[in-house]
Amino acid sequence: MSVTEEGGNEGEVLVVGAGIAGMQASLLLAEMGFRVHLLDRAPAIGGLFPLLDRTFPTNTCGVCFMSPTLPALCPFIECSRHPLIELLPYAEIEGLEGEPGDFQVSILHKSRYVNADLCNGCGECAAACPVEVPRELGAGLETRRAIYRPYPQAFPETFVLDMGACTECGECLKVCRPGAIDLEMKDHRSTLSAGAVILTPGFEPFDASLKTEFGYGVHQNVLTGIQFERMLSLTSPSLGLPARTSDGQAPRSLAFIQCVGSRDISCDRGYCSSICCMYATKQAMLAKERVPDLNTTVFHMDVRTFGKGFERYYERAKGEYGILYRRSMISRVRELTDSKNLTASCVDDEGRPQEEEFDLVVLSVGFGPPAAAEALAESVGVSLNEYGFARTEPFSPQNTDRPGVFVAGGFREPQDIPQTVVEASSAAAGAAEVLAGRRLVRTAAEYPDQRDVSDEDPRVGVFICRCDGTIAEVVDLPSVTEFADQLLDVAHTAQLEAACQAEGLKELKSTIQEEGLNRVVVAGCTHRLYGEAMGDALRQAGLNSCLLERADLREGCAWVHRDQPEQATLKARQLVAMAVAKARLLTPSEGADAEVSPGALVVGGGVAGMEAALSLARQGFFVHLVEKEMELGGNLRHIHYTLGGGDPQEYLQGLIDQVEASELITVHLGSDLTQMTGEPGRYTSLISADGSTEELVHGVIVVSVGGDEVEPTEYLYGQHPQVLTQRELEERISSDAQALAGVKNVVMIQCVGSREPDRPYCSRICCSVAIKNALRIKELNPEANVLVLFRDMRTYGFQEDYYRQAREQGVIFIHYEPEAKPRVEAAKDRLRVLIHEPILDADLTLEADLVVLSTGVAPRDNQGLAELLGVPLDEDGFFEEANTKVRPMDFEAVGMYLCGLCHSPKNSEESISQARGAAMRAAVMLARQRLEGQSAVPFVNPRLCIACGLCIDTCPFEALVADEETGITEIAPLLCQGCGACTVACPSGAIQQRVFEKTQLMAMLDVALD
Amino acid sequence: MPGRVNGEVLTFALFVCAALQLARLSVPATVTEAGCVFQAEDGSPMEIIIDGATSTLDLAFKAEVEGASGEDLSRCYYCLKCSAGCPSALAMPYQPAQMVRMVQLGLKDQLLESPSIWYCLHCETCGARCPNEISIARLTQALRQMAMDEKGDALLGEAGIQALRTLSENILTTHNISADDNSRRLIWSENLESVPEGLESKKGAHSLYFVGCVSSFFPMTYIIPQAFVQILDEAGESFTALGGEEWCCGYPLLMAGMGSRAEETIRHNVAQARDLGVSRVVTTCPACYHMWKHFYPEILDEELGLEVTHSTQLLAELLDQGRVQLKEVPRAVTYHDPCDLGRKNDLYDAPRRVLGAIPELSFREMSDNRQDALCCGGGGNVETFNPDLVGELSERRFQQALETEAQVIVSACPQCERTLTAEARREKARVKVMDLVEFVWRAMDTSE
Amino acid sequence: MSVKAVLEVKEGDVVAALREFLRRLLEAKVVDALLVPVELPSGDAVVQTLIKDPDKLANANPLAPVMMVNSAKLVSNLTRRGNRERVGVVLKSCEMRALFELVKLQQATLDNLVTLGIDCLGSYEATQYAELAGELDDGAGSSADQLRGAREGQVVPMDGYEFRVACQICEHPIASNVDVNIGLFGVDTETAILLEMEGEIGQEIVEKLGLQEGDAPGREEAVAKLVSGRERARDEAFARFHETVKDTSSLLAQFSTCIACHNCAQACPICYCKECIFETDTFRHPSDRYLLWADRKGAARMPSDTLLFQLTRMNHMVTSCVGCGMCESACPSDLPLTLMFRAVGDKVQELFDYLPGASLEEELPVATFKEDEFPEYK
Amino acid sequence: MDEFEPRIVAFLCNWCAYTGADLAGTSRIQYPPNVRSIRVMCTGGVDPIYVIKALLEGADGVLIGGCHPGDCHYQSGNLKARRRMAILRSILEQLGLDPDRVWLRWISASEGKLFADTITEMVQTLKEKGPNPMGEAWAI
């Protein structure tokens, strides 16, 4: 890609911390046209992620979907090769001067003692190093050398010397051929400019050895959740099998202990770490899959599976996997001398002490702020909260208290991957707003006209790369070259020292021209590297870039068969022959492209819709905001106070004022979207209001149509005036100071209409809403008795503080099981609530002045809109995003996004983050201006197509349609992502894929087995 | 399911536990009959109806308990860790977490009349592990006081309570726990080869050695003060003791629910110390230490102006200063952390440092150590109520010590030494139980 | 809504009764046209014929024990681009099942189609039929012996003749999912033929033709007997097949005579491609390719790609194979295609619990997948 | 050559298995040189005809390497491939050909070691099986 500046003064963003959040923000901003400096304290990007390879609730990895352009490799790789992202590994930020839009950042670059320009990543140094220390991302289960690469696929690939561990024995120096190791290398400092800063340094696991009662670090078979996670990764030393440290055996019984370093003020962790219930559940399921006769017990206080799809996941764990959840915390873990088994002190069903024996105990450790949080906060000039996480203001969850500095991910509050992706996108939106008008714009590079090679006989040029000797030292390249020269249609062979370097590329280009080549094979490193540069050389020489084929003699040959040079040479010859066989048959192909219509349509004028619209407008895009009702505001109009402080009504009014004042936003009140046609990036919609219809053209659409409070059908709701919903209580309290006069006893019932058979999801917010109102009642009348009847209190994250506060204020919490739900009876003019109290095993009758039902969040009737847009609803009726985990703001369809309650229950701050994140995703699309398709798209031979539709059925991207007349398949090349599944579905070969045509692959097979 | 709250008025009996089990079976199943009904007229206190009998649901009860114990019980979210880890929980009719719930729901009578509150060892395992920093020990301490104050007559029929009353009366009259002649407090010094100069009430001494009742009056623990004063003497420490003017530290009163009457004895001890002009108080008894360190300032509501040190700390200090020389002791040794010293005062390192300084000594930790050390069973006056429970606990701890294959169990508490020695005798085990001061004294190189 | 009726058979002439029935269908405008097997004047062959004029039914013979083509393919031709008039088609079970598969493959539609199934008494190869035609009682019709056998649930070929392999092992002698089935098994065809009809069309036929309701009480038992006999024969045939084709060399021994004529694909009702991929450029190799192969191994078999063709064709359509055996009937090299496709097809279809042609609702196995199947792949 | 060296053709998806194979390279994990990899975008694009052809041409084993279920970069191409391979293997089995010469494995981009281990294991297994009889038989 080549870029030009849109306005002068290009926009630059510094992203601090290169985990999921940092990579997501960087990719979005870079894709949008900002220059990104992605800094991390660690020697490689990726954060904690390389530890994992299965994430909940899908039990897959799938982070590749995070990239704004699909399909994509891992975000690690995408970040490392994006032309606008500069990696600054092993660096720390030392100071931040200036104003939003114009910061100067001082950076300390820690010395790697390895020269990045010289290191070729060969790893000889590490092999020679005699020092072994625990590997950071091995969770203590693995070691590394003093000179090392943090993990095999780490970026950058340059090795790093850990001076703390190094004995300076000099072994590495001896074996390093490029002479890249420099023990004299010093830390150095630099400054760079950035218009905005995003802080995403993540979080750190709790040190489980601080809770001595669990015996971590003492008993061999007690692991932390992080260690167990690592063990379950297929890349771990055990290849994903759970194993006891003491004897390497697979466990037959496994205990998880929750809340280790969470919800525990005795170790200054008063908050809930939010993700441990889910990760333990996931680990329990994975362990069970791999050790089928495993019995697993999860000891917990509340199971907090509050995210989208999480409750079902939890139910599956219990039902399908037979995982036992016990509401009892462990007081002590002891080790049995002989078996090294563990006993856990818990209570039995009667609440009496009991010892349970397990083969393996996993401590579900919580998460704290990163170790360097304080130093970072100080150098950047932002404040931290009492727990050391970044402080943010109500209703602006990504804003730190320093303008222009944003925060996202675990450093703001412990959170899962979907929320991290949301917040990172939202923070990116913040940065993009600061830098509006300073984007770099892509322009097509200038190339000579492509030569028409269709009538030419193949003239294949084979270029064999020595890779600075890396390949040549194993493979006998002269013999390979000689062999290649004999192959059919090979017109020219040459050896290059380094095909990826400027000189090599120049030779490639000139040889093509001089020799009149029309197909090119480069035999060297893997196709993943330098493909763009080599394709570019072909285009400069007047050839279509699809006329290039690669033969992987390095990663796939020289490096993996070092000990068998003869065999490696034979293999290399064959790989070249295969590449030539295919190259002979290659035909030119270009990716399609199309303009993106400017502007966005936002459907739904609640908080989410308005925040999304405003963010887009601030980034310079025009927006049509369509609201069904006659006023903006949605659900927030009914919210009068919040747990975190801040005045919702004041915020709402401010938001409405800004929307109305924005020149780029057109508000359509009392309006409906009645039709949408067009294709990705170019939509035409009809907006109807009051009989009149308006036609709008837009490039993207954001759906934010909100949700509803569930209307209860139980607990005498609607039959007794003193049975209210939480929202009604809030309205009553806010509208009338005397509303609670005479009210002394309030009973709140949780999970009304949530986690029930007909609405089996958790509504996420009801627990904190109940806490909020309970606290408000206590504030208004400290003498009031407030009892909350709950199944699991799900006050995740810092909301746990308010749960504790409510208890301290005397609010009484009583647990109930769904099998023994409370009963509400009318007794004269009052209410009675009958409940079983499990701690004392007593049946209580509570006389109440008010019964308040904590009702869930229900989706609106979204069916019509879903059909109109051609997007799916999930099984609960909420809109279904493209990927639960890493694309929580996107629909699968290109250019369509979603946010707010129509996606899933969430609180207003989460809606704001998601709305701004969705706006950022949409803005990337709008900023791109042109949509580019894949070049390896299929093509249809209409003579052969018999209109059976199998290809159409198999396409996951709806890129194929049947011609209405003939039924013959047509291709929408912009939607096609080039998987080739259609070509397998078609029995007649009528649809085939460019660059992967059947004749080409079969020609490779012809020579592969010689 | 957990011990059921029912309508029975629980009579307080030593063996009430079994009775309770029976009573539980008779609880009617229907909700309204068996349950508690909260009622509240405007402004009037809530009432609780049990089996048709109405009593006041005393919201003040929780406030009172919280005030008296200093514990924020409302914070509890019933993780049940306290119940799971409490060494006496199995013997308790109401488990620790249930006691908290009963306070919260105002079930005062049942709670105050339950033996549960007297089975607490005050070992603080609960408090050390509670994620909400609630100490059941502090709770039961307050409840014992309330029970004694308010239920006194109802409880008097119970033997254990009688014993505690007697004990408390003894303390208040004789100033020691064994109703001995208090002037004979230094009787242990009579067998010393040389009695250190100024052992009794020497003005101007640097340290006051507060010997404590157990070591003063129980001959099997005489060796503790004997060894300690010789060490101090050897090390050239300027110290003295109060002799007959040393009164019981008051801790047994607190445990007996008579803390409210401890003030006089506390004032006496502090006045004596001040009178001598010492700058620090040293104890060999962790309970005395804990009293001096925490309860004295708390109860008197003033700073003592005195440094309070435990013998283990002092020994470590003397070692650091090179004032004590230790010779080789080629023996395997384990250390038992006294609850009052460990969990209550975080004093884990000093005794280990001292043992670690002894050449040739092989130190072995028990599987439960430091913060997780098991109670020897001797705490909280539980012996008065349930000697069997104490026996079980000391046996359990003793077994852990045996597993280390140590030849000597070192502790730093006269009470622990008593309990574990008794167990060693029962077991006929060839293991010595020794206080750290005795062990150090034996290890001291006094050849010069 | 199903209804059963009886067609009167006069003087034991079943074929005449059927012709009369078909004629009345046309005359009463139940259908506008009929696709029905008609005897050639020579009498030694029967071909499917599309008839609009009732008089042309004179030589129609749905009972003729021969199958020149699987008519599903003809119905595909008739309906693929829509079907303006109401056409009745007389189909045997395997033809009906193939038709359902083709509907799912969007190669045929059931719109405006009235499907008339007929109990299949088994068919002979066309050459055998030509020889046999004279021997049959009823001109080129079925023999009275066979009809009597059908009543008892037992059909045996004429002495000295064999049914087609597919028919010998066919355990679906009755067409399912048809609008009207002409029932012969367990029916006393001396006097009557059973008509089993579904849906509105059944009502319409009963009303317009003034049919008598009726039933054949012995039918179920007769069918069960027939099917169990066929299943036995099938299992024995499979066992023989696996005995014969059990490794590479025996497979090659069976299939090396394939001449790549692709007749099997032409005859197969499921092989619906306009042009087989093996006849397209993908396999019409440039001449240097043959030399390359010969060069590599010293020799190259010609015609090339024969086994590749067989296996690929099988891979394409075996999940939908209805076992009609037309491939084998069409094969000039006498390859044992019927058994091969039936033996493989049964196993593959079992993987997905899929019975080709059984229902329109069941998705084609090749058109879908499940998240949680085949956990053995790790 | 003394010992029989199996010849393996591997179809590797661009995003996971091929990248995993690359990782084996960058990690210098050694594995037997018996495999010839063919890159495809997705296992969903591996036409069984390639596998059949490879076997008929005498390949001793065919490996199809894709993303783990749920991780397919095209949503579900790997699951489609799984079904197609199940069909193909069933066909082979019924025809007396060895279905265990066709392996379908999930190998993620980070599983370089798993890729190498898979090749090693496959080579070992195929050595035990001996040469694909098709290699000799069909070549006349």
Side-chain angles (χ1 to χ4, degrees), chain A residues 942-994:
Chain A
R943 186 171 60 82
L944 298 178
C945 176
I946 195 158
C948 67
L950 286 179
C951 56
I952 295 171
D953 291 346
T954 206
C955 177
F957 309 106
E958 296 178 42
L960 303 178
V961 285
D963 179 88
E964 279 184 28
E965 283 280 300
T966 62
I968 287 174
T969 299
E970 291 182 341
I971 295 158
L974 287 173
L975 291 178
C976 173
Q977 311 214 343
C979 67
C982 52
T983 70
V984 182
C986 176
S988 64
I991 185 165
Q992 294 209 34
Q993 189 181 11
R994 293 273 178 229

Side-chain angles (χ1 to χ4, degrees), chain D residues 22-131:
Chain D
D22 276 355
L23 181 60
T26 35
S27 312
R28 308 298 198 282
I29 304 172
Q30 304 294 297
Y31 56 83
N34 305 48
V35 64
R36 305 289 173 265
S37 298
I38 295 179
R39 180 174 71 100
V40 290
M41 294 310 284
C42 175
T43 49
V46 178
D47 196 321
I49 198 171
Y50 306 148
V51 183
I52 300 169
K53 182 173 167 70
L55 291 173
L56 295 183
E57 294 284 345
D60 299 300
V62 178
L63 170 69
I64 294 106
C67 310
H68 287 269
D71 288 349
C72 173
H73 289 228
Y74 304 101
Q75 297 181 7
S76 51
N78 48 358
L79 304 184
K80 294 170 192 162
R82 181 172 64 185
R83 182 167 266 222
R84 295 198 180 276
M85 290 312 141
I87 294 174
L88 177 61
R89 282 166 41 97
S90 176
I91 292 174
L92 296 176
E93 187 176 6
Q94 294 306 310
L95 295 183
L97 303 178
D98 186 355
D100 295 329
R101 293 188 184 276
V102 181
W103 291 28
L104 172 65
R105 291 293 159 101
W106 312 133
I107 298 165
S108 82
S110 58
E111 290 164 0
K113 183 168 184 314
L114 182 62
F115 177 81
D117 287 353
T118 303
I119 299 299
T120 308
E121 185 193 343
M122 194 165 181
V123 167
Q124 193 51 47
T125 310
L126 293 172
K127 277 185 179 175
E128 284 161 21
K129 283 185 185 294

Side-chain angles (χ1 to χ4, degrees), chain A residues 943 945-946 948 987 1006 1010, chain C residues 272 274-275 289 293 296 316:
Chain A
R943 186 171 60 82
C945 176
I946 195 158
C948 67
D1006 274 341
D1010 279 352
Chain C
Y272 63 96
K274 267 197 273 192
E275 223 173 302
R289 196 77 171 276
W293 291 337
R296 273 170 48 220
H316 282 164

Side-chain angles (χ1 to χ4, degrees), chain A residues 869-905:
Chain A
L869 299 175
V871 297
L873 296 178
D874 67 19
E875 42 200 335
D876 299 317
F878 292 98
F879 282 98
E880 185 164 356
E881 67 272 42
N883 180 304
T884 337
K885 208 162 45 210
V886 289
R887 290 177 71 193
M889 299 152 291
D890 300 21
F891 284 112
E892 190 62 61
V894 177
M896 300 173 76
Y897 310 90
L898 76 167
C899 55
L901 287 184
C902 69
H903 161 265
S904 68

Side-chain angles (χ1 to χ4, degrees), chain B residues 210 269 273 281 288-294 296-297 304 306 308:
Chain B
F210 191 86
N269 284 335
V281 176
C288 299
Y289 172 76
H290 191 60
M291 280 302 285
W292 276 92
K293 183 103 182 160
H294 298 287
Y296 279 19
L304 300 186
L306 291 164
V308 181

